[in-house]
Amino acid sequence: MIIVMNPKCSEREIADVKNELTRQGLGVHLSQGETFCIVGIVGDTRRIDSDNLLTFDGVDKVLKVEEPFKKANRLFKPEDTVVNVNETLVGGNNLGIMAGPCSVESEEQIIEIAKAVKESGANFLRGGAFKPRTSPYSFQGLELEGLRLLKRAKEETGLSIVTEIMSTDYIDEFVRDVDVIQVGARNMQNFDLLKQLGKTNKPILLKRGLSSTIEEWLMSAEYIMAGGNENVILCERGIRTYEGYTRNTLDLSAIPVIKKLSHLPVIVDPSHASGYWYLVEPLAKAAIAAGADGLMIEVHNDPQHALSDGQQSVKPELFDKIMQKVKVLAEMEGKSL
Ligand code: PEP
Ligand code: MN
């Protein structure tokens, strides 16, 4: 439920409404801008007497929020959330471009790729240290050594780092060393992990589950936000369909749907969405044209010998070309890097 206050209401009027809700044991989420003032109500709203709330000074309307996600709902917060990562912004008019290898493989590899993607305009370095692989016999990532190498690449380039957390085991190390903590598609509904991340104040990149609906995805964001961490960036990375020519199917409509339903930024990963390097450029362009707040792209300097996802990794030269086009499209959408 939300209470739409008169945009010109006084601090006193807001406080009275908040106090009344707190008295009833409900959580309160205030969102205020120049032209709006919304008091969101979190908790069991079934017994709320909306007629009584309408008697409070400054209250214009009391509306029921039909969707099960509340803090992630645009009704709770009409303006776009902008996530600030070491002064690099994602959301609103700011694009976040996260690029780098699927896996961190060596110091030389990660630093060379980090320098190249930075040169082309990426503002984040991605790279997996803990890898969720379908086969237990595949390369599982360099784990803590991988985190150390990412930090080295950050020292060399200044790029903020994005890397995937697989369990709560190393949460302290991630909070200390990582700038954006990625929750992968396979862990989107690992609710214990989401709850723990909700207790941190780190930006979280929440990828869409392999076969998740948009509502399930937003409910996972809600888990993180319910804990108090509102720094969530969503990432559409393709969903399972019957189509066999691509690894997944990029759900482009998820972008405008999310924009309508939620205030959270949403970026697109055309690499995992398609599974092939030649599809990355067209899908990246389509994503920006559809209103995405950024991209996550796998880039490798030697894809033939990559330890994971070489077939979908673009080389630095192609990444550079993609970035030039992305910048033009971003401008068309009123966004910049
Ligand atoms: C990744 O980004 O390396 C990854 C494993 O992605 P996803 O969780 O989307 O499959
Ligand atoms: Mn990958």
Side-chain angles (χ1 to χ4, degrees):
M1 219 168 211
I2 60 166
I3 300 176
V4 182
M5 304 288 295
N6 188 304
K8 296 199 186 81
C9 68
S10 68
E11 294 293 323
R12 175 81 249 151
E13 287 164 350
I14 298 172
D16 285 348
V17 169
K18 280 170 81 174
N19 289 342
E20 171 58 18
L21 295 166
T22 316
R23 195 189 60 75
Q24 293 185 31
L26 296 158
V28 178
H29 183 275
L30 179 70
S31 171
Q32 213 171 355
E34 271 183 20
T35 54
F36 62 88
C37 176
I38 308 275
V39 179
I41 312 176
V42 193
D44 184 0
T45 54
R46 282 170 302 181
R47 273 193 297 271
I48 289 184
D49 179 352
S50 32
D51 287 342
N52 175 258
L53 288 172
L54 282 167
T55 65
F56 281 71
D57 288 337
V59 172
D60 271 353
K61 274 186 272 186
V62 179
L63 302 175
K64 192 166 163 16
V65 177
E66 300 291 341
E67 295 83 13
F69 47 90
K70 311 292 176 192
K71 288 191 162 183
N73 203 309
R74 203 179 265 284
L75 287 173
F76 262 53
K77 182 171 180 281
E79 61 192 5
D80 290 340
T81 284
V82 178
V83 176
N84 183 334
V85 188
N86 306 325
E87 301 313 314
T88 298
L89 307 178
V90 185
N93 298 327
N94 315 281
L95 286 191
I97 306 289
M98 310 179 177
C102 179
S103 300
V104 180
E105 298 169 4
S106 68
E107 178 160 343
E108 219 182 7
Q109 175 242 22
I110 194 69
I111 290 179
E112 186 177 325
I113 297 172
K115 285 183 175 163
V117 298
K118 182 179 182 184
E119 185 69 26
S120 300
N123 41 15
F124 294 87
L125 174 66
R126 68 144 284 147
F130 293 83
K131 295 301 304 175
R133 304 305 302 279
T134 301
S135 166
Y137 308 116
S138 302
F139 176 59
Q140 301 287 306
L142 297 180
E143 305 191 336
L144 289 176
E145 172 65 3
L147 286 191
R148 193 185 68 78
L149 298 181
L150 282 166
K151 264 182 20 184
R152 279 281 306 118
K154 180 180 173 178
E155 278 161 22
E156 288 286 325
T157 58
L159 287 176
S160 292
I161 52 185
V162 187
T163 195
E164 177 168 353
I165 193 164
M166 295 240 294
S167 76
T168 51
D169 293 352
Y170 295 110
I171 200 157
D172 294 338
E173 286 80 353
F174 271 75
V175 168
R176 190 186 64 215
D177 294 339
V178 173
D179 301 300
V180 178
I181 302 179
Q182 175 175 329
V183 176
R186 290 153 193 83
N187 265 318
M188 188 203 84
Q189 287 191 316
N190 181 341
F191 300 118
D192 277 343
L193 179 60
L194 300 177
K195 281 185 201 164
Q196 291 302 321
L197 293 170
K199 291 183 194 159
T200 75
N201 59 3
K202 277 276 154 175
I204 309 294
L205 181 74
L206 179 65
K207 290 191 129 191
R208 181 174 182 181
L210 304 172
S211 305
S212 298
T213 63
I214 292 173
E215 188 162 293
E216 286 164 342
W217 185 18
L218 286 170
M219 287 310 287
S220 291
E222 189 78 14
Y223 259 93
I224 301 167
M225 299 173 85
N229 184 356
E230 301 192 1
N231 296 311
V232 180
I233 303 169
L234 300 166
C235 179
E236 160 63 39
R237 46 77 73 206
I239 47 174
R240 286 245 164 109
T241 66
Y242 48 79
E243 181 51 63
Y245 277 113
T246 51
R247 181 174 178 181
N248 290 294
T249 298
L250 175 61
D251 181 8
L252 267 183
S253 23
I255 304 159
V257 171
I258 291 283
K259 290 273 162 211
K260 182 172 159 60
L261 295 174
S262 178
H263 51 84
L264 294 173
V266 55
I267 71 164
V268 167
D269 171 352
S271 309
H272 291 90
S274 65
Y276 297 100
W277 67 267
Y278 78 95
L279 292 172
V280 171
E281 176 178 341
L283 297 188
K285 290 189 292 191
I288 298 296
D293 297 300
L295 297 165
M296 168 169 264
I297 296 184
E298 285 188 339
V299 180
H300 202 289
N301 50 0
D302 184 11
Q304 269 108 6
H305 298 102
L307 295 182
S308 58
D309 285 350
Q311 79 293 342
Q312 68 189 32
S313 301
V314 298
K315 292 185 183 163
E317 304 77 57
L318 177 54
F319 178 69
D320 192 67
K321 197 173 134 221
I322 296 172
M323 283 302 289
Q324 289 176 31
K325 299 196 176 173
V326 160
K327 283 177 196 160
V328 176
L329 285 164
E331 203 173 313
M332 224 171 73
E333 289 301 306
K335 293 188 173 151
S336 61
L337 270 162

